[in-house]
Amino acid sequence: MHSIFEISDFSAPELDIYARLTENQLVNRADPENALFIAESPVVIGRALDAGCVPVSFLMEKKHVEGKGRELISRCGDIPVFAADLDVLTKLTGFHLTRGMLCAMRRPRLPEAADICRDACRIAVLENVMNPTNIGAIFRSAAALGMDAVLLTSAGSDPLYRRAIRVSMGTVFQVPWTYLPEGNWQGFLRSLGFKTAAMALKDDSLSIADARLTAEEKLAVVLGTEGDGLANETIEHCDYTVRIPMSHGVDSLNVAAASAVAFYQLGRR
């Protein structure tokens, strides 16, 4: 029997997760065992459950309790389900719920970088990518276009921010990912057998179609932050510098668009 609660009091503390806690408060770095994230929409919630994420509670439109949320609720045991009409949920959360459904979940423990790279041949490295929308789009491309894992620097945006998860369509739960070790991460990847390809606008860059790139047994595609791109020091320490040929006077692509082109071309092996 599931515990269904119709929302009557916006100030109820059990709704803090959805209404008042910031993304950084949900991360709860002081108490990582109780850190949370919010999954939005049935597809995303289903993929999180498939990946073994532990649900804490649901927030959804009343019509979904016995509708498209029913199967998801049945997978989650006796956790509370908070329900209301869509306009009430929008007032509570401050945004329009995609597909009328949210689920608060425990943040999974991240794997070690060496473990997810051990059997990988193509990985993406994201240096200080800040926009959650871009993070989500990059993960979706990584899942679709042959990347075995994604590694991130700690200064970038969190892949488990609600918007990043939603834009990724839940692929953040399908593509293995974790944070790079601090310091000389190029040397770390080299120790695992990877060559690194910095995506950067340099006159001496290789074309992304250069056969030497696809011939590499293990390749890490390195993408930089919005606007400034990769740090010069990062480029200098990578094995290759690679550019996507442009036309019509366009000098670059958004990092999410560039990732899709790079993963498509360099993921083939």
Side-chain angles (χ1 to χ4, degrees):
M1 183 68 181
H2 305 292
S3 303
I4 311 297
F5 302 95
E6 185 167 349
I7 295 170
S8 58
D9 180 6
F10 278 20
S11 66
E14 57 268 26
L15 297 176
D16 285 350
I17 295 172
Y18 302 104
R20 285 170 286 278
L21 297 185
T22 66
E23 297 275 14
N24 285 334
Q25 287 172 321
L26 289 172
V27 171
N28 197 0
R29 290 181 174 86
D31 186 12
E33 294 300 319
N34 289 309
L36 303 169
F37 69 89
I38 303 294
E40 182 178 4
S41 86
V43 169
V44 169
I45 294 167
R47 287 178 173 170
L49 292 173
D50 291 344
C53 295
V54 178
V56 173
S57 66
F58 278 102
L59 179 72
M60 66 176 65
E61 287 185 72
K62 286 191 292 186
K63 68 179 183 180
H64 296 325
V65 172
E66 293 299 329
K68 61 186 179 183
R70 184 174 182 177
E71 189 272 334
L72 291 172
I73 293 170
S74 70
R75 295 177 61 182
C76 295
D78 188 22
I79 65 171
V81 179
F82 302 105
D85 292 331
L86 184 59
D87 61 335
V88 174
L89 298 181
T90 300
K91 291 176 183 177
L92 175 71
T93 62
F95 58 87
H96 181 84
L97 274 65
T98 302
R99 307 297 183 187
M101 194 180 307
L102 300 176
C103 185
M105 294 183 162
R106 301 283 181 199
R107 292 179 68 96
R109 185 182 299 273
L110 290 177
E112 295 294 326
D115 291 337
I116 66 173
C117 289
R118 185 168 292 114
D119 298 320
C121 294
R122 292 292 185 271
I123 64 174
V125 174
L126 309 186
E127 181 183 72
N128 302 346
V129 177
M130 302 302 297
N131 187 308
T133 297
N134 285 334
I135 291 284
I138 291 169
F139 266 87
R140 191 170 181 180
S141 292
L145 300 171
M147 294 294 107
D148 299 314
V150 177
L151 300 178
L152 307 95
T153 57
S154 59
S157 186
D158 184 355
L160 293 186
Y161 280 174
R162 178 186 61 84
R163 185 167 180 81
I165 297 171
R166 181 172 65 80
V167 172
S168 83
M169 289 296 293
T171 55
V172 293
F173 306 113
Q174 297 177 314
V175 179
W177 66 273
T178 195
Y179 290 101
L180 287 158
E182 297 295 332
N184 181 17
W185 53 261
Q186 291 99 330
F188 166 76
L189 292 176
R190 200 167 288 119
S191 73
L192 298 176
F194 283 90
K195 292 294 182 68
T196 49
M199 302 300 300
L201 301 172
K202 298 290 185 181
D203 291 338
D204 60 350
S205 298
L206 296 178
S207 167
I208 197 170
D210 193 295
R212 284 172 286 184
L213 298 169
T214 50
E216 290 290 356
E217 181 179 349
K218 291 192 169 190
L219 188 68
V221 181
V222 185
L223 297 145
T225 188
E226 300 85 351
D228 294 334
L230 292 169
N232 288 330
E233 184 179 7
T234 298
I235 297 170
E236 291 169 4
H237 285 88
C238 284
D239 298 294
Y240 298 104
T241 307
V242 181
R243 70 183 300 155
I244 299 169
M246 302 284 168
S247 60
H248 294 290
V250 177
D251 63 356
S252 65
L253 296 174
N254 164 274
V255 65
S259 75
V261 176
F263 299 164
Y264 174 77
Q265 177 65 34
L266 302 177
R268 295 186 288 181
R269 52 194 187 273

Tab-separated table of all heavy atoms in Angstrom, residues 38-48 58-59 68 72 97-103 105 162 165-167 169-170:
chain	number	residue	atom	x	y	z
A	38	ILE	N	17.226	15.375	-7.704
A	38	ILE	CA	15.844	15.340	-8.171
A	38	ILE	C	15.805	14.860	-9.618
A	38	ILE	O	16.436	15.454	-10.496
A	38	ILE	CB	15.181	16.734	-8.084
A	38	ILE	CG1	15.237	17.287	-6.655
A	38	ILE	CG2	13.738	16.661	-8.586
A	38	ILE	CD1	14.445	16.524	-5.651
A	39	ALA	N	15.083	13.787	-9.857
A	39	ALA	CA	14.858	13.287	-11.215
A	39	ALA	C	13.490	13.771	-11.693
A	39	ALA	O	12.515	13.735	-10.934
A	39	ALA	CB	14.918	11.761	-11.243
A	40	GLU	N	13.427	14.213	-12.943
A	40	GLU	CA	12.207	14.829	-13.477
A	40	GLU	C	11.754	14.096	-14.734
A	40	GLU	O	12.551	13.881	-15.650
A	40	GLU	CB	12.495	16.300	-13.801
A	40	GLU	CG	11.300	17.070	-14.327
A	40	GLU	CD	11.631	18.536	-14.587
A	40	GLU	OE1	12.799	18.935	-14.431
A	40	GLU	OE2	10.703	19.273	-14.961
A	41	SER	N	10.505	13.691	-14.760
A	41	SER	CA	9.811	13.030	-15.875
A	41	SER	C	9.891	11.506	-15.726
A	41	SER	O	10.870	10.969	-15.185
A	41	SER	CB	10.338	13.446	-17.241
A	41	SER	OG	11.454	12.669	-17.646
A	42	PRO	N	8.874	10.801	-16.221
A	42	PRO	CA	8.845	9.341	-16.075
A	42	PRO	C	10.036	8.629	-16.699
A	42	PRO	O	10.564	7.676	-16.121
A	42	PRO	CB	7.530	8.951	-16.774
A	42	PRO	CG	6.671	10.166	-16.672
A	42	PRO	CD	7.606	11.323	-16.793
A	43	VAL	N	10.469	9.063	-17.890
A	43	VAL	CA	11.605	8.402	-18.552
A	43	VAL	C	12.856	8.523	-17.701
A	43	VAL	O	13.580	7.543	-17.470
A	43	VAL	CB	11.841	8.997	-19.954
A	43	VAL	CG1	13.176	8.517	-20.522
A	43	VAL	CG2	10.707	8.616	-20.897
A	44	VAL	N	13.140	9.724	-17.223
A	44	VAL	CA	14.334	9.956	-16.419
A	44	VAL	C	14.272	9.175	-15.105
A	44	VAL	O	15.253	8.535	-14.698
A	44	VAL	CB	14.504	11.464	-16.154
A	44	VAL	CG1	15.583	11.715	-15.112
A	44	VAL	CG2	14.846	12.191	-17.451
A	45	ILE	N	13.122	9.217	-14.444
A	45	ILE	CA	12.974	8.484	-13.189
A	45	ILE	C	13.166	6.988	-13.419
A	45	ILE	O	13.849	6.303	-12.647
A	45	ILE	CB	11.600	8.772	-12.560
A	45	ILE	CG1	11.509	10.247	-12.145
A	45	ILE	CG2	11.347	7.868	-11.350
A	45	ILE	CD1	10.101	10.713	-11.800
A	46	GLY	N	12.589	6.473	-14.488
A	46	GLY	CA	12.746	5.052	-14.800
A	46	GLY	C	14.199	4.669	-15.032
A	46	GLY	O	14.660	3.619	-14.562
A	47	ARG	N	14.953	5.522	-15.738
A	47	ARG	CA	16.357	5.214	-15.986
A	47	ARG	C	17.178	5.287	-14.704
A	47	ARG	O	18.126	4.510	-14.526
A	47	ARG	CB	16.913	6.146	-17.062
A	47	ARG	CG	16.392	5.783	-18.449
A	47	ARG	CD	16.869	6.709	-19.550
A	47	ARG	NE	16.445	6.182	-20.855
A	47	ARG	CZ	16.533	6.843	-22.009
A	47	ARG	NH1	17.039	8.081	-22.023
A	47	ARG	NH2	16.134	6.287	-23.128
A	48	ALA	N	16.828	6.214	-13.821
A	48	ALA	CA	17.516	6.281	-12.534
A	48	ALA	C	17.251	5.018	-11.712
A	48	ALA	O	18.164	4.456	-11.095
A	48	ALA	CB	17.074	7.524	-11.772
A	58	PHE	N	8.075	10.926	-4.034
A	58	PHE	CA	7.597	11.440	-5.315
A	58	PHE	C	6.835	12.744	-5.090
A	58	PHE	O	6.220	12.951	-4.038
A	58	PHE	CB	6.624	10.457	-5.968
A	58	PHE	CG	7.254	9.321	-6.714
A	58	PHE	CD1	7.310	8.055	-6.139
A	58	PHE	CD2	7.768	9.502	-7.984
A	58	PHE	CE1	7.872	6.993	-6.828
A	58	PHE	CE2	8.331	8.446	-8.686
A	58	PHE	CZ	8.389	7.192	-8.105
A	59	LEU	N	6.838	13.597	-6.110
A	59	LEU	CA	5.944	14.746	-6.200
A	59	LEU	C	5.350	14.706	-7.594
A	59	LEU	O	6.085	14.730	-8.586
A	59	LEU	CB	6.719	16.054	-5.988
A	59	LEU	CG	5.900	17.345	-6.075
A	59	LEU	CD1	5.003	17.491	-4.847
A	59	LEU	CD2	6.828	18.561	-6.188
A	68	LYS	N	0.252	7.455	-15.522
A	68	LYS	CA	1.585	7.067	-15.985
A	68	LYS	C	2.613	6.962	-14.858
A	68	LYS	O	3.713	6.452	-15.077
A	68	LYS	CB	2.077	8.049	-17.048
A	68	LYS	CG	2.227	9.487	-16.594
A	68	LYS	CD	2.586	10.364	-17.774
A	68	LYS	CE	2.717	11.836	-17.382
A	68	LYS	NZ	3.004	12.687	-18.554
A	72	LEU	N	5.841	3.313	-11.938
A	72	LEU	CA	7.029	3.785	-11.228
A	72	LEU	C	6.828	3.710	-9.718
A	72	LEU	O	7.717	3.265	-8.985
A	72	LEU	CB	7.355	5.221	-11.642
A	72	LEU	CG	7.843	5.425	-13.071
A	72	LEU	CD1	7.926	6.906	-13.399
A	72	LEU	CD2	9.193	4.752	-13.283
A	97	LEU	N	6.646	21.521	-14.137
A	97	LEU	CA	7.168	20.162	-14.098
A	97	LEU	C	7.050	19.491	-15.463
A	97	LEU	O	5.971	19.437	-16.047
A	97	LEU	CB	6.403	19.311	-13.073
A	97	LEU	CG	6.880	19.361	-11.623
A	97	LEU	CD1	6.693	20.735	-11.034
A	97	LEU	CD2	6.156	18.305	-10.790
A	98	THR	N	8.169	18.978	-15.958
A	98	THR	CA	8.152	18.216	-17.195
A	98	THR	C	7.431	16.894	-16.959
A	98	THR	O	7.809	16.116	-16.094
A	98	THR	CB	9.592	17.935	-17.678
A	98	THR	OG1	10.263	19.182	-17.863
A	98	THR	CG2	9.578	17.167	-18.994
A	99	ARG	N	6.366	16.675	-17.708
A	99	ARG	CA	5.551	15.454	-17.574
A	99	ARG	C	4.941	15.315	-16.190
A	99	ARG	O	4.527	14.220	-15.786
A	99	ARG	CB	6.356	14.202	-17.928
A	99	ARG	CG	7.046	14.240	-19.261
A	99	ARG	CD	6.081	14.343	-20.417
A	99	ARG	NE	6.759	14.313	-21.691
A	99	ARG	CZ	6.161	14.531	-22.866
A	99	ARG	NH1	4.860	14.791	-22.888
A	99	ARG	NH2	6.840	14.494	-23.988
A	100	GLY	N	4.915	16.397	-15.414
A	100	GLY	CA	4.175	16.409	-14.158
A	100	GLY	C	4.658	15.483	-13.072
A	100	GLY	O	3.861	15.023	-12.250
A	101	MET	N	5.983	15.247	-13.010
A	101	MET	CA	6.450	14.255	-12.047
A	101	MET	C	7.898	14.501	-11.649
A	101	MET	O	8.756	14.711	-12.493
A	101	MET	CB	6.332	12.855	-12.667
A	101	MET	CG	6.469	11.707	-11.702
A	101	MET	SD	6.319	10.113	-12.558
A	101	MET	CE	4.751	10.326	-13.437
A	102	LEU	N	8.162	14.486	-10.339
A	102	LEU	CA	9.517	14.550	-9.795
A	102	LEU	C	9.716	13.395	-8.824
A	102	LEU	O	8.764	12.900	-8.220
A	102	LEU	CB	9.751	15.862	-9.031
A	102	LEU	CG	9.605	17.192	-9.768
A	102	LEU	CD1	9.795	18.346	-8.778
A	102	LEU	CD2	10.604	17.300	-10.898
A	103	CYS	N	10.974	13.003	-8.656
A	103	CYS	CA	11.307	11.982	-7.659
A	103	CYS	C	12.621	12.375	-6.993
A	103	CYS	O	13.620	12.605	-7.677
A	103	CYS	CB	11.448	10.607	-8.310
A	103	CYS	SG	11.732	9.256	-7.120
A	105	MET	N	15.838	11.353	-4.917
A	105	MET	CA	16.590	10.103	-4.811
A	105	MET	C	17.918	10.341	-4.095
A	105	MET	O	18.459	11.450	-4.096
A	105	MET	CB	16.858	9.531	-6.206
A	105	MET	CG	15.618	9.094	-6.950
A	105	MET	SD	16.044	8.356	-8.546
A	105	MET	CE	14.514	7.487	-8.906
A	162	ARG	N	19.184	18.958	-11.446
A	162	ARG	CA	17.907	18.572	-12.052
A	162	ARG	C	17.866	18.870	-13.543
A	162	ARG	O	17.450	18.024	-14.353
A	162	ARG	CB	16.751	19.296	-11.343
A	162	ARG	CG	15.362	18.989	-11.937
A	162	ARG	CD	14.296	19.846	-11.282
A	162	ARG	NE	14.535	21.268	-11.491
A	162	ARG	CZ	14.159	21.928	-12.590
A	162	ARG	NH1	13.539	21.301	-13.577
A	162	ARG	NH2	14.404	23.223	-12.700
A	165	ILE	N	20.141	16.527	-15.613
A	165	ILE	CA	19.545	15.192	-15.725
A	165	ILE	C	18.423	15.199	-16.761
A	165	ILE	O	18.331	14.301	-17.606
A	165	ILE	CB	18.993	14.726	-14.368
A	165	ILE	CG1	20.105	14.588	-13.331
A	165	ILE	CG2	18.260	13.392	-14.520
A	165	ILE	CD1	19.594	14.330	-11.920
A	166	ARG	N	17.561	16.224	-16.682
A	166	ARG	CA	16.411	16.271	-17.591
A	166	ARG	C	16.851	16.412	-19.042
A	166	ARG	O	16.354	15.696	-19.915
A	166	ARG	CB	15.483	17.428	-17.217
A	166	ARG	CG	14.256	17.523	-18.105
A	166	ARG	CD	13.266	18.550	-17.605
A	166	ARG	NE	13.775	19.906	-17.636
A	166	ARG	CZ	13.815	20.660	-18.740
A	166	ARG	NH1	13.422	20.159	-19.900
A	166	ARG	NH2	14.260	21.895	-18.684
A	167	VAL	N	17.800	17.323	-19.306
A	167	VAL	CA	18.268	17.516	-20.686
A	167	VAL	C	18.956	16.263	-21.214
A	167	VAL	O	18.857	15.925	-22.389
A	167	VAL	CB	19.203	18.738	-20.767
A	167	VAL	CG1	19.845	18.847	-22.141
A	167	VAL	CG2	18.434	20.028	-20.449
A	169	MET	N	18.041	13.359	-20.691
A	169	MET	CA	17.030	12.296	-20.803
A	169	MET	C	17.410	11.068	-19.985
A	169	MET	O	17.128	9.928	-20.341
A	169	MET	CB	16.798	11.910	-22.268
A	169	MET	CG	16.074	12.965	-23.076
A	169	MET	SD	14.392	13.263	-22.472
A	169	MET	CE	13.596	11.709	-22.867
A	170	GLY	N	18.088	11.319	-18.854
A	170	GLY	CA	18.451	10.224	-17.970
A	170	GLY	C	19.689	9.452	-18.378
A	170	GLY	O	20.050	8.480	-17.712
